Amino acid sequence: MMRALARLLFIFLLAYAGSALAQDRGTVEDKTLPPLEHPDSPSTPARELFARKNTPDPATPRSIGFYSHGCLAGAVALPINGATWQVMRLSRNRNWGHPKLVEFLERLAEKAKKAGWNGLLVGDMSQPRGGPMLSGHTSHQIGLDADIWLTPMPDRKLSREEREFMSATMVVREDRRDVDPNVWTHAHAEVIRVAAEDPAVERIFVNAAIKKALCREAGSNRAWLAKVRPWRGHDYHFHIRIFCPPDSPQCEPQPPPESGEGCGHELDYWFTEAMLHPPPPTEPPKPGQGPTMASLPHACRQVLMAP
Ligand SMILES: [Zn+2]
């Protein structure tokens, strides 16, 4: 019972952190953060420090810690324009990742195009040095997570303004019990399948209504469904998480998903009244809160302090 409650609470917290993301608008104005008054104080939240690092730690690439508790050395940027992808919300400066994530996204963009998805609109990856963020996610800290919009890339280069202000497409029906047939296409299912079938991918998070649609449309090739797991939010974008790379001994893997494809009655829980209409969150996190450097893996101090 307590575990169930704890799980529910955890999900609500993450839901709050994840729900508005794709719709958070960016800015074309200068977003330089004011210097901290006491950057060396042990009580300074780590996210205030990592958010002020605009360049990567120029070290050998490694992911340090857990997806929701760590940092990233040797990050590389996904170029903002590719033949089959474009990066959104450039003002966030979150198109950084472990080189394995960047390689994967470039590969996925090409494979998805062949499967009928016109190209990827890439949302948040990680900050230049990973770490906790001032807004949004609890994960995306070690350069192995990426959000992909559920909107196919248009056939033209988006302007700076469009990348900041355009909205992703809501694919879940208003009653939250299924996808919206006016929006959802087979290509949506295909881009998620192609991602899940890549051996680098550990897990994909989608809204339960999307998982339901994938279960329905998968046909006889269903092994990939096991990696696609329901999560609150994730109705404008899906979230891809790749495995810890071999060059990162301090990367903590996630326990494997429950066995089975996770369709049918396994989804019932997500369509209960409590899950469909959770009580509103009590309060958004306050600026002064969050983990401090002392609670992150020790190696993250070097990553933060590197020139
Ligand atoms: Zn995400």
Side-chain angles (χ1 to χ4, degrees):
M1 183 62 193
M2 280 312 286
R3 275 185 66 178
L5 272 175
R7 182 175 172 214
L8 210 63
L9 182 68
F10 182 62
I11 286 165
F12 284 148
L13 287 171
L14 274 155
Y16 184 72
S19 59
L21 287 179
Q23 298 313 89
D24 278 359
R25 303 178 96 216
T27 175
V28 288
E29 260 132 65
D30 176 30
K31 247 190 62 171
T32 309
L33 294 164
L36 291 169
E37 258 177 69
H38 305 289
D40 300 326
S41 156
S43 63
T44 301
R47 58 187 189 171
E48 295 285 351
L49 299 166
F50 279 99
R52 284 169 172 77
K53 295 291 177 184
N54 299 320
T55 56
D57 167 11
T60 310
R62 58 197 175 117
S63 297
I64 300 157
F66 190 60
Y67 298 92
S68 55
H69 186 76
C71 61
L72 171 66
V76 292
L78 177 69
I80 62 169
N81 295 303
T84 44
W85 76 84
Q86 295 185 45
V87 174
M88 304 301 285
R89 303 294 191 261
L90 302 179
S91 61
R92 294 161 79 98
N93 194 26
R94 291 178 180 173
N95 56 320
W96 297 87
H98 186 283
K100 288 281 175 218
L101 180 67
V102 172
E103 264 170 47
F104 159 75
L105 289 169
E106 296 187 0
R107 184 165 73 232
L108 172 65
E110 200 181 318
K111 283 200 254 175
K113 173 93 180 177
K114 288 185 185 134
W117 185 257
N118 199 44
L120 306 180
L121 294 182
V122 181
D124 282 354
M125 295 162 57
S126 288
Q127 302 178 117
R129 300 187 190 197
M133 298 176 179
L134 284 177
S135 62
H137 321 270
T138 46
S139 65
H140 292 249
Q141 293 193 23
I142 56 175
L144 304 176
D145 293 285
D147 289 340
I148 306 297
W149 285 29
L150 285 164
T151 309
M153 188 184 91
D155 277 322
R156 63 193 169 82
K157 205 162 148 189
L158 293 169
S159 69
R160 178 69 212 282
E161 285 74 18
E162 285 174 303
R163 292 181 203 229
E164 299 296 345
F165 304 129
M166 195 179 126
S167 287
T169 319
M170 162 62 93
V171 299
V172 173
R173 207 168 68 189
E174 215 174 297
D175 70 3
R176 315 291 295 160
R177 293 179 178 276
D178 212 318
V179 290
D180 182 344
N182 298 318
V183 177
W184 181 259
T185 64
H186 185 59
H188 285 86
E190 284 294 281
V191 64
I192 298 171
R193 176 186 63 80
V194 167
E197 285 182 342
D198 192 295
V201 170
E202 199 276 339
R203 197 90 42 117
I204 291 178
F205 297 110
V206 296
N207 189 273
I210 296 175
K211 171 81 189 210
K212 191 185 197 176
L214 296 174
C215 292
R216 190 168 55 222
E217 293 174 24
S220 54
N221 161 21
R222 306 179 69 81
W224 58 276
L225 284 169
K227 283 188 195 171
V228 185
R229 293 289 159 175
W231 209 252
R232 286 194 56 83
H234 298 86
D235 40 16
Y236 294 89
H237 74 270
F238 67 106
H239 176 130
I240 304 176
R241 173 168 293 173
I242 67 167
F243 283 106
C244 281
D247 62 12
S248 301
Q250 286 170 283
C251 179
E252 290 169 40
Q254 168 153 22
E258 289 161 49
S259 62
E261 57 189 48
C263 294
H265 287 305
E266 286 181 61
L267 291 172
D268 288 353
Y269 159 78
W270 292 92
F271 297 105
T272 54
E273 212 31 48
M275 291 307 288
L276 286 176
H277 303 110
T282 41
E283 256 180 86
K286 290 197 184 78
Q289 291 174 343
T292 61
M293 288 309 293
S295 74
L296 289 180
H298 195 78
C300 289
R301 262 167 269 186
Q302 285 146 266
V303 172
L304 183 77
M305 297 317 290

